[in-house]
Amino acid sequence: MTKKIWNDSKGYVIIFIIAMFLLGGIATWFFLQDPYGSQRTLLFPDQDDYFMDFFNTLHYVADRNPYVNGYGGLVNRNYLPLGYMILYPFSQVDDFIRVLPKDLREWQGPIIACFTFLFISVGSFLYLMYEGKKGRRIEKFFTTLACALSGIMLYNIDRANTIILSAAALLFFLLFYKDEKPVYRHLAYMALAIAGALKVYPALFGVILLYEKRFKDAAYSILYGLVFVFLPFLFFEGGFSNVSKLIYNVGLNNAKYYGGTFSVISNTIFEARDYYPIGFMVGNIVLIIVLLLGWAQKKPWKQILLLTCGLVLTPVHSGYYCGLYLFIPLLFFLNEKDHKATDLLYLIFFILVLNPLQYSFFLPESSLLVEK
């Protein structure tokens, strides 16, 4: 008996691809009708700030002393050292110590460095998406292309943030942590450690090893995590003395950048900055609940989606670019062989969040604590 389209994995893939390209076409049409309208935010929403996550960071790290006060202030010097160490070679293409980042962005060498970084990071992520997608090559290709042209992916290109490398590393972990060959499994554990050392919260996915009672593998992952988090401190001036400086800078950053597109708790409940400690506490409580629900969930793609929601929604600051992590559960969702009719709701959710069409909606006032 022929499967209905809402129960068939290929049907879901076809719906996703068609919807993404159709909505992309609508976005293009609206843009052509009004180049300065709402669809302009699809590419370079801030005309004066494009690529600046990359260029600002090169300025912080060029003198190998990224945790001291200077351009941008301590509030923006909040990366774990691995992220700075990865970007350090790019900072040597020009004088990032004495020339301001926005000025260097206009020079040939630095902009080529930025494109090289984007080619490596975005290319790695999309390659893993392609290889991780099950099915025929044409299915893999158009699924990956639809993701590449999504609003969130284009915004991540605008930011040129290391979150792209973090997402690629996390995807590598989920694709290979069960591999038959030990070398690939250990590379997967290292990839998880790298993802966590770049953006912290991806380390949450290590609980999957605990869910599966693979305690030895979890121990390996923790060991690799400690190496990738702390060893890079030795690359910079001050070595491990920078740990306390980093903690201080992170506190400043969390207080300043409270909220964000995906910060459900800080945006809708504890909206005022004065209530940051409460929002942080509630976010952690919700995260614990998510981890417990993940343990009870048996379907891998739903487990991954739950953990991704914890990763994206519970931090007190979670910007639009953090939506990049949602491509990971999407991939496993589309790889699922059999779907229930209710899974169509998940497909609609993915399309609404990831498609290129720029739209906005407003929730009714729901803040429990709002500044007056």
Side-chain angles (χ1 to χ4, degrees):
M1 184 177 179
T2 304
K3 291 183 179 179
K4 294 181 179 179
I5 193 168
W6 51 78
N7 297 114
D8 181 48
S9 61
K10 290 186 178 180
Y12 274 54
V13 173
I14 292 171
I15 292 173
F16 175 75
I17 293 173
I18 291 176
M20 291 290 283
F21 280 104
L22 177 62
L23 291 169
I26 294 173
T28 302
W29 185 84
F30 278 128
F31 175 77
L32 293 176
Q33 296 301 308
D34 182 8
Y36 292 93
S38 60
Q39 301 311 307
R40 190 175 182 82
T41 60
L42 184 62
L43 289 172
F44 308 117
D46 187 340
Q47 297 294 303
D48 191 46
D49 202 51
Y50 61 91
F51 301 149
M52 289 310 295
D53 283 2
F54 177 79
F55 284 103
N56 283 336
T57 304
L58 297 193
H59 186 82
Y60 306 153
V61 76
D63 61 355
R64 294 176 65 174
N65 200 11
Y67 298 108
V68 300
N69 203 6
Y71 173 84
L74 294 176
V75 67
N76 290 311
R77 297 167 179 259
N78 64 316
Y79 279 11
L80 285 166
L82 180 64
Y84 287 131
M85 192 171 73
I86 289 173
L87 293 179
Y88 175 76
F90 296 103
S91 73
Q92 302 305 295
V93 300
D94 225 308
D95 190 1
F96 276 91
I97 296 177
R98 286 181 287 271
V99 183
L100 290 178
K102 283 189 178 180
D103 295 331
L104 281 169
R105 187 180 57 182
E106 309 300 323
W107 298 5
Q108 184 179 41
I111 201 67
I112 290 176
C114 181
F115 288 158
T116 301
F117 170 76
L118 285 171
F119 177 80
I120 294 170
S121 55
V122 175
S124 298
F125 183 74
L126 293 179
Y127 174 77
L128 288 169
M129 287 284 295
Y130 177 87
E131 290 297 328
K133 178 70 186 74
K134 297 178 181 178
R136 295 177 300 171
R137 289 185 178 180
I138 189 170
E139 184 180 328
K140 292 154 68 84
F141 173 77
F142 279 106
T143 301
T144 305
L145 182 61
C147 293
L149 298 177
S150 72
I152 288 176
M153 178 60 76
L154 293 174
Y155 183 73
N156 270 277
I157 292 173
D158 170 273
R159 299 315 310 150
N161 193 286
T162 54
I163 194 174
I164 309 172
L165 289 176
S166 176
L170 179 57
L171 179 55
F172 185 94
F173 165 73
L174 291 169
L175 290 175
F176 290 100
Y177 81 98
K178 289 185 178 180
D179 199 90
E180 295 179 356
K181 297 180 180 180
V183 63
Y184 283 108
R185 292 201 303 272
H186 279 270
L187 287 174
Y189 308 149
M190 291 180 191
L192 176 64
I194 290 171
L198 287 173
K199 291 296 177 180
V200 181
Y201 275 89
L204 293 171
F205 278 79
V207 300
I208 290 178
L209 299 173
L210 300 180
Y211 293 158
E212 299 177 6
K213 298 181 179 180
R214 294 169 55 180
F215 303 116
K216 184 178 179 180
D217 295 331
Y220 278 125
S221 297
I222 293 172
L223 177 62
Y224 292 136
L226 292 173
V227 170
F228 283 110
V229 166
F230 289 102
L231 195 60
F233 276 110
L234 298 177
F235 180 77
F236 299 103
E237 290 187 22
F240 291 125
S241 67
N242 287 314
V243 174
S244 59
K245 297 176 184 177
L246 171 61
I247 294 172
Y248 178 76
N249 294 354
V250 169
L252 294 176
N253 185 272
N254 287 341
K256 178 179 179 179
Y257 296 106
Y258 187 70
T261 303
F262 289 104
S263 300
V264 174
I265 294 170
S266 53
N267 278 349
T268 62
I269 302 176
F270 300 100
E271 187 177 345
R273 292 178 187 271
D274 291 344
Y275 299 105
Y276 160 74
I278 302 176
F280 180 77
M281 179 185 68
V282 173
N284 286 331
I285 292 172
V286 173
L287 182 57
I288 292 172
I289 294 172
V290 167
L291 295 178
L292 292 174
L293 291 173
W295 175 70
Q297 181 55 245
K298 302 305 178 185
K299 275 192 172 291
W301 73 264
K302 286 188 176 180
Q303 194 176 74
I304 293 170
L305 178 58
L306 267 171
L307 294 176
T308 304
C309 287
L311 163 65
V312 173
L313 301 179
T314 60
V316 293
H317 173 65
S318 185
Y320 183 50
Y321 58 82
C322 295
L324 185 68
Y325 291 115
L326 290 170
F327 287 109
I328 297 174
L330 168 69
L331 178 67
F332 289 90
F333 172 76
L334 294 178
N335 281 343
E336 181 72 14
K337 291 183 179 180
D338 296 303
H339 286 282
K340 297 179 181 179
T342 53
D343 288 351
L344 188 61
L345 296 175
Y346 289 97
L347 180 62
I348 294 172
F349 160 77
F350 281 120
I351 292 171
L352 287 176
V353 174
L354 301 177
N355 81 86
L357 181 64
Q358 301 298 288
Y359 60 92
S360 62
F361 63 91
F362 298 94
L363 295 173
E365 184 62 57
S366 59
S367 295
L368 299 179
L369 300 168
V370 185
E371 288 178 320
K372 300 296 184 183

